[in-house]
Amino acid sequence: MSTLPVFRWHLAPDGLATRRQLRARNLRPGGQGVAAQLERPRRRGRPPLVAYLYRVDLAKPVRPMTPGRWRAHAAMMRARRTCPECRRDAGYVIPTSLGACVTCTYPENVAA
């Protein structure tokens, strides 16, 4: 069993990047395994925060959005905006804490 190299926060060598850093460069890990990890210490005996690092030279370009993916994304967002009670498009993503649009959740605050 091999162990991963561990680097302190802000001390990772060049050529390694997190998923977010890869995405900012329009790259993705592309099936490669984790090459190393970063650890950010925390106070009061809490475990450190961990971020996994991938090799930039093995990363692949992000796959482009196809028309089918755009349609699927639009359908997913439409479902998140549709109120389950009044079946209208609320124009915003309905919070899961409310479970319905603001108009249905707080009908007494709606101006007549």
Side-chain angles (χ1 to χ4, degrees):
M1 182 174 134
S2 64
T3 59
L4 294 174
V6 178
F7 299 101
R8 300 263 311 178
W9 203 252
H10 294 295
L11 297 178
D14 292 336
L16 296 178
T18 63
R19 282 182 179 269
R20 283 188 178 205
Q21 291 168 336
L22 288 176
R23 187 60 185 212
R25 298 179 189 184
N26 285 325
L27 297 172
R28 60 186 170 95
Q32 66 173 303
V34 175
Q37 70 182 27
L38 282 176
E39 284 191 357
R40 180 179 177 199
R42 298 196 297 180
R43 297 182 189 185
R44 298 188 182 121
R46 294 168 62 189
L49 294 174
V50 176
Y52 297 112
L53 299 172
Y54 300 90
R55 290 181 45 185
V56 175
D57 60 337
L58 297 179
K60 296 180 180 178
V62 173
R63 295 182 186 125
M65 288 290 280
T66 63
R69 283 188 180 180
W70 279 117
R71 281 192 304 274
H73 182 266
M76 180 262 314
M77 292 306 293
R78 190 171 43 254
R80 292 180 68 195
R81 290 191 315 262
T82 303
C83 177
E85 292 187 21
C86 65
R87 293 286 176 207
R88 288 185 299 179
D89 187 339
Y92 54 88
V93 174
I94 296 173
T96 56
S97 60
L98 296 180
C101 66
V102 175
T103 307
C104 292
T105 304
Y106 303 109
E108 65 276 359
N109 293 342
V110 177

